[in-house]
Amino acid sequence: MSNAVVIVESPAKAKTIEGYLGKGYKVLASYGHVRDIPSRENAVEPDNDFAMHYEVDTKAAKVLKDIMAALKDADTLYLATDLDREGEAISWHVWEEIKRRNPKLAASLHVHRIEFTEITKSAIQQAIREPRSLALNLINAQQARRALDYLVGFTLSPVLWRKVKGGLSAGRVQSVALRLIAEREDAIEAFKAEEFWTIHGHFTAAGGKPLPSTLAVYNGQKVEKFSFTTEKDAHAALAQLKPHTYSVYALEKSDKRRYPSPPFITSTLQQEAARKLGFAARRTMQTAQRLYEAGHITYMRTDSLNLAQEALTKLRGTIAQRYGNEYLPAQPNFYKSKSKNAQEAHEAIRPTDSAHTPDMMRLEEDQRRLYQLIWQRTVASQMTPARLEQTTITLNSEDAKHTFKATGSVIIFPGFLTVYQEGRDDEADDGETLLPQVKEGERVATREIAPEQHFTQPPPRFTEATLVKALEEYGIGRPSTYASIISTLQDRGYVRLDQKRFFPEDVGRIVAKFLTEHFGQYVDYNFTANLEDDLDAIARGEHDWKPTLRAFWGPFKALTVEKNETVKKSDVTTEATGETCPQCGKGELIWRLGKYGRFKGCNNYPECKYIEKTGPAATPGQDTGIACPECLAAKPQRHGTLLKRTSRMGKIFYGCSAYPDCKYAVWDEPVQTPCPKCAWPFISKKVSKKYGEWHRCPNCDWNDNPDAAEATAKFRERFQAARDKRTAGKAAAAARAKAEKAEAKAAAKATAKPKATAKKPAAKKKAPAKK
């Protein structure tokens, strides 16, 4: 019989911790929050000092029933939920419900709050020895955050229903993230590429070794990005550069050090997992949660770069044993967080034991890959820097008017690069260029001097990694919320993820524009970041939470009322094009928002019902150059090719350029290789989580991955069997219903009494007419 009950958040964690604590302890899971404010009016009452009315749902009621039952035999309650403000609030809600349900039992209990950053036996036992009280400041910060999210969502979403269309939602943080994506798309559309040219010298040093370089000085002037803006300018420069001979004017060598990245925090883990593993933020956090609950890594929601002293000692031992003392710095490496609100008492994300190398762990594939990433990053963070020798060779013309420069580097000592190198966003990783050995004054042979055309590039669309990075830099949201922010934007249909890039949908751009124009201060990056700072100040006990809510609510509510009265829906969902309607010749074409996005229609509707044709045929696609097989087979033969397009639902497909005359389309990427079995003009590439990249023929059953082919065939068999079963079931049901109906009709006919023939009443004799 237990005399202590421990409450954690997840059942997986409960099982592990109960094993560590042994007899006398019963560990139960709360399964997250046991109560929350419902999505209905007056769940938060601003006019009643922001009273919050919490409710327990059906699932949580069963959880609380189990907790109350376990407490009947206990004298101590340990609240061991996660150590952030959400975890603190979960503990508080559990305790509040216990007091409400059985005040007498609650009064008899010894209640302790315990916290730990890793699920190991020593960490759990130490937490039991060093309990604390519930932190009211953290609880109030969570209540303030929850109240703000409710007030914004419940007040602003109905405005979107009236002014844009039904079913939309707005959020305190999601709306700002949407604005980031929409504004980036605006910048891409407004971007105008500028042409510029660079000039490269391809020389040969002694021994015939190539020496690539770039023009740095031309006619005594430093070459800038836009020194040559046309092909004419570049060729004019070539005419002056080519007649000269070039020699090594200067040779500079310098030692550079490249230092390791700090261990992971939540945001950097999400960014790096997106870059290197292709994981979405939600997938990263779910996988990390499972690793944490199994005791393999420390708590995964953190913004601290600190490592515990015990962990540092183990890491240094692992490095010395596996890589040697030359890879171990004299003192541990320490990192300082850039976040002013980082909770330095917490730890960075690390393996609970660095001696447990990735190759020793028996984990599911996602967990194995993420654990390896965390292990490598953590170990590398405590290793020596890499040493590189950087060489710059300066080549001058004989008249010293023109200068080419060649730069390269060589790794002298790899240091931490032996284990790990951080990924990059929107650029290639640094490459190491080897330059030939040359001497000052040495003449080099000119192989070629050639120009290269470039165009300035628009800002890149956000990936999950760069969006998380931007949110972090602006101070919008918190690392623990990034995954849910991104998921919400996709679930609402505001953005889509295509080729790992975020594209705003039409409705998303309209919502972002409406909120920016009419609620600008509330989707302002600085305002949102400052509000996060206020929540952190509440958590530190520096601010009271209700004055913070009052300061926000008054102006926000007044603005909402004003916009409801003054803004017309047509002003939000329509946009003039300046084009005359081709049908009536009088009206103007305007953009409207429809079920599948924006479309052009006449503003004289309903008198003129002209709508410009939209959809795949009107959307230019990227030509793959692969001939459409149906067009080839047509008589007379057509000449359509497959274009890469995006469907109305945001999915990539490949359709014929001759649409609507030809409606051939495939979902998988076509590859210009005839099928080896049926000679179909192309095969298609499929990518799946289980089988990776493989190819199949869209016309026959050819497949270059036997496992995938077998799985596909089995799936088709099961699918067809299920379809046949449904069809047979429907037919049998219809036959039974028909038979039952016929039987009922026959039975009713058999039991019916014969109808009596009604006698016609005798005709009344007419009275004789009076004379």
Side-chain angles (χ1 to χ4, degrees):
M1 186 178 295
S2 65
N3 57 14
V5 173
V6 182
I7 305 299
V8 296
E9 291 186 31
S10 72
K13 195 190 302 184
K15 187 177 180 181
T16 306
I17 292 173
E18 190 166 275
Y20 290 146
L21 291 175
K23 292 182 180 180
Y25 292 90
K26 178 68 175 175
V27 186
L28 298 173
S30 71
Y31 293 86
H33 281 279
V34 295
R35 63 180 192 176
D36 196 6
I37 51 176
S39 296
R40 57 173 173 78
E41 251 186 301
N42 298 321
V44 178
E45 295 185 86
D47 297 333
N48 188 19
D49 199 25
F50 293 95
M52 300 176 70
H53 301 287
Y54 293 103
E55 288 186 1
V56 176
D57 64 21
T58 307
K59 182 180 177 182
K62 184 181 181 304
V63 170
L64 285 167
K65 184 179 178 181
D66 294 340
I67 291 173
M68 296 303 296
L71 286 172
K72 286 180 181 179
D73 302 319
D75 54 26
T76 305
L77 172 64
Y78 290 102
L79 300 167
T81 49
D82 291 345
L83 62 159
D84 53 13
R85 67 188 182 202
E86 291 296 323
E88 200 74 18
I90 291 171
S91 284
W92 177 71
H93 284 304
V94 169
W95 177 231
E96 288 296 304
E97 278 297 310
I98 291 170
K99 290 190 294 184
R100 187 184 70 81
R101 288 165 184 252
N102 194 333
K104 187 176 178 180
L105 172 64
S108 68
L109 290 172
H110 299 286
V111 182
H112 305 290
R113 172 75 166 108
I114 61 173
E115 61 178 32
F116 40 83
T117 60
E118 62 185 35
I119 302 177
T120 58
K121 189 171 184 178
S122 59
I124 301 302
Q125 290 175 343
Q126 183 178 350
I128 292 287
R129 290 193 300 269
E130 300 175 358
R132 62 170 174 82
S133 302
L134 281 167
L136 189 59
N137 294 329
L138 281 176
I139 295 164
N140 288 341
Q142 192 275 341
Q143 288 199 98
R145 194 276 306 164
R146 187 67 187 91
L148 282 169
D149 289 347
Y150 169 85
L151 292 171
V152 171
F154 211 80
T155 307
L156 200 50
S157 295
V159 179
L160 294 179
W161 303 343
R162 297 186 191 100
K163 307 305 176 185
V164 184
K165 73 173 186 176
L168 302 181
S169 73
R172 182 178 61 86
V173 180
Q174 82 179 50
S175 299
V176 187
L178 175 62
R179 180 182 176 181
L180 272 171
I181 296 171
E183 286 186 343
R184 178 61 60 87
E185 195 70 19
D186 292 340
I188 291 170
E189 290 180 355
F191 178 82
K192 293 183 179 179
E194 294 183 72
E195 181 182 6
F196 67 97
W197 292 71
T198 54
I199 296 176
H200 303 279
H202 300 277
F203 301 101
T204 304
K209 293 184 177 179
L211 177 58
S213 63
T214 301
L215 183 66
V217 177
Y218 174 65
N219 278 335
Q221 300 293 319
K222 183 180 178 181
V223 174
E224 306 288 352
K225 183 174 184 177
F226 292 103
S227 292
F228 310 106
T229 56
T230 65
E231 186 176 8
K232 183 179 178 182
D233 293 341
H235 283 283
L238 288 184
Q240 294 199 41
L241 293 168
K242 283 184 175 180
H244 292 280
T245 57
Y246 295 87
S247 303
V248 178
Y249 172 73
L251 177 63
E252 299 176 13
K253 291 188 178 182
S254 60
D255 282 351
K256 300 286 183 182
R257 288 176 180 255
R258 186 182 299 174
Y259 292 88
S261 301
F264 282 129
I265 59 176
T266 306
S267 58
T268 53
L269 176 64
Q270 291 174 3
Q271 292 170 47
E272 197 72 341
R275 296 186 195 110
K276 290 196 167 186
L277 308 181
F279 284 10
R282 176 177 284 182
R283 183 178 173 189
T284 299
M285 295 309 293
Q286 288 174 342
T287 306
Q289 179 86 35
R290 291 195 289 272
L291 287 171
Y292 169 64
E293 290 171 351
H296 300 316
I297 65 170
T298 55
Y299 189 53
M300 63 286 159
R301 293 186 181 91
T302 178
D303 53 8
S304 170
L305 297 174
N306 289 340
L307 294 174
Q309 185 58 49
E310 182 184 356
L312 286 171
T313 303
K314 285 186 177 180
L315 279 166
R316 290 175 65 80
T318 300
I319 293 166
Q321 182 182 358
R322 288 181 65 88
Y323 305 104
N325 288 327
E326 65 270 28
Y327 289 87
L328 189 66
Q331 298 294 329
N333 296 330
F334 293 99
Y335 299 91
K336 187 171 178 60
S337 174
K338 295 179 182 178
S339 171
K340 60 184 177 181
N341 294 314
Q343 300 185 42
E344 299 295 346
H346 297 169
E347 274 200 87
I349 303 169
R350 63 167 176 83
T352 52
D353 188 346
S354 58
H356 294 162
T357 57
D359 55 321
M360 295 168 55
M361 308 294 286
R362 292 185 177 180
L363 301 168
E364 294 176 5
E365 182 63 13
D366 276 9
Q367 293 181 41
R368 183 194 64 77
R369 295 174 69 196
L370 192 65
Y371 180 82
Q372 182 174 19
L373 193 68
I374 294 169
W375 187 90
Q376 290 175 335
R377 174 85 164 222
T378 308
V379 171
S381 73
Q382 292 303 314
M383 294 177 75
T384 52
R387 287 177 28 231
L388 298 89
E389 182 184 75
Q390 185 165 306
T391 304
T392 302
I393 300 173
T394 304
L395 305 171
N396 274 6
S397 60
E398 75 280 0
D399 60 1
K401 288 185 177 180
H402 312 302
T403 299
F404 286 87
K405 282 195 175 183
T407 304
S409 58
V410 178
I411 295 176
I412 301 172
F413 177 72
F416 76 93
L417 293 176
T418 305
V419 178
Y420 180 83
Q421 185 167 3
E422 187 176 19
R424 299 291 183 90
D425 294 312
D426 302 312
E427 58 183 86
D429 287 346
D430 290 339
E432 307 304 334
T433 304
L434 281 171
L435 296 178
Q437 295 288 335
V438 294
K439 298 177 182 177
E440 288 188 13
E442 177 185 330
R443 184 174 173 179
V444 294
T446 304
R447 285 192 295 132
E448 183 185 17
I449 297 177
E452 184 177 355
Q453 185 184 37
H454 306 273
F455 292 93
T456 54
Q457 297 297 311
R461 292 180 176 88
F462 286 108
T463 62
E464 286 219 18
T466 55
L467 182 59
V468 166
K469 187 176 181 180
L471 292 170
E472 184 182 31
E473 287 175 350
Y474 278 114
I476 298 167
R478 279 294 173 262
S480 59
T481 64
Y482 295 154
S484 62
I485 292 168
I486 292 170
S487 297
T488 299
L489 291 177
Q490 293 175 274
D491 295 343
R492 295 286 184 269
Y494 289 160
V495 303
R496 72 176 188 276
L497 194 62
D498 182 5
Q499 304 293 308
K500 297 185 178 181
R501 300 279 174 175
F502 283 111
F503 290 76
E505 300 288 13
D506 289 337
V507 66
R509 298 183 75 171
I510 289 172
V511 168
K513 183 181 178 183
F514 170 71
L515 294 176
T516 303
E517 288 181 358
H518 298 284
F519 292 87
Q521 71 182 93
Y522 296 105
V523 291
D524 178 75
Y525 304 132
N526 292 329
F527 176 85
T528 307
N530 290 338
L531 204 52
E532 293 292 344
D533 291 342
D534 290 341
L535 293 174
D536 288 326
I538 294 168
R540 294 192 299 269
E542 297 169 6
H543 290 176
D544 192 4
W545 65 296
K546 290 190 176 178
T548 301
L549 292 178
R550 289 190 199 100
F552 171 85
W553 175 248
F556 177 73
K557 178 62 176 176
L559 183 62
T560 304
V561 172
E562 178 199 334
K563 296 301 178 182
N564 260 327
E565 295 173 353
T566 59
V567 178
K568 296 179 181 178
K569 183 174 182 178
S570 59
D571 295 335
V572 179
T573 58
T574 62
E575 183 181 345
T577 64
E579 302 172 22
T580 303
C581 174
Q583 183 166 303
C584 68
K586 298 175 182 178
E588 179 188 357
L589 293 185
I590 58 172
W591 284 108
R592 298 180 186 272
L593 181 64
K595 184 178 180 181
Y596 298 108
R598 297 203 307 167
F599 65 94
K600 282 183 185 178
C602 181
N603 67 349
N604 277 339
Y605 180 88
E607 287 78 15
C608 176
K609 296 184 179 180
Y610 175 79
I611 293 176
E612 189 169 291
K613 191 171 184 179
T614 58
T619 306
Q622 181 182 343
D623 197 345
T624 64
I626 297 174
C628 170
E630 285 198 5
C631 286
L632 291 175
K635 294 182 180 180
Q637 193 178 85
R638 294 188 295 262
H639 300 285
T641 57
L642 298 183
L643 304 182
K644 180 181 178 181
R645 287 177 168 151
T646 304
S647 73
R648 288 176 171 178
M649 301 306 291
K651 293 185 178 181
I652 298 296
F653 73 99
Y654 298 83
C656 182
S657 60
Y659 179 91
D661 296 329
C662 176
K663 296 182 180 180
Y664 181 81
V666 290
W667 289 105
D668 300 320
E669 181 183 348
V671 180
Q672 185 73 76
T673 301
C675 172
K677 185 174 181 180
C678 70
W680 192 253
F682 69 90
I683 58 176
S684 57
K685 181 173 74 174
K686 279 187 75 71
V687 179
S688 67
K689 292 179 182 178
K690 188 170 183 179
Y691 300 107
E693 185 178 299
W694 46 287
H695 300 85
R696 69 178 187 86
C697 176
N699 185 54
C700 70
D701 59 355
W702 178 85
N703 194 309
D704 67 357
N705 186 322
D707 293 336
E710 184 181 355
T712 303
K714 287 181 178 178
F715 171 78
R716 284 177 180 164
E717 287 175 11
R718 290 196 303 269
F719 181 82
Q720 190 59 44
R723 175 182 279 180
D724 293 344
K725 188 176 180 180
R726 285 196 303 272
T727 303
K730 287 179 181 178
R736 283 196 303 271
K738 188 176 180 181
E740 288 170 2
K741 189 176 180 181
E743 286 175 10
K745 190 175 180 180
K749 188 175 181 181
T751 57
K753 293 180 180 179
K755 292 182 181 179
T757 305
K759 292 182 179 180
K760 291 183 180 180
K764 291 182 180 180
K765 292 182 179 180
K766 291 183 180 180
K770 292 180 180 180
K771 292 182 180 179

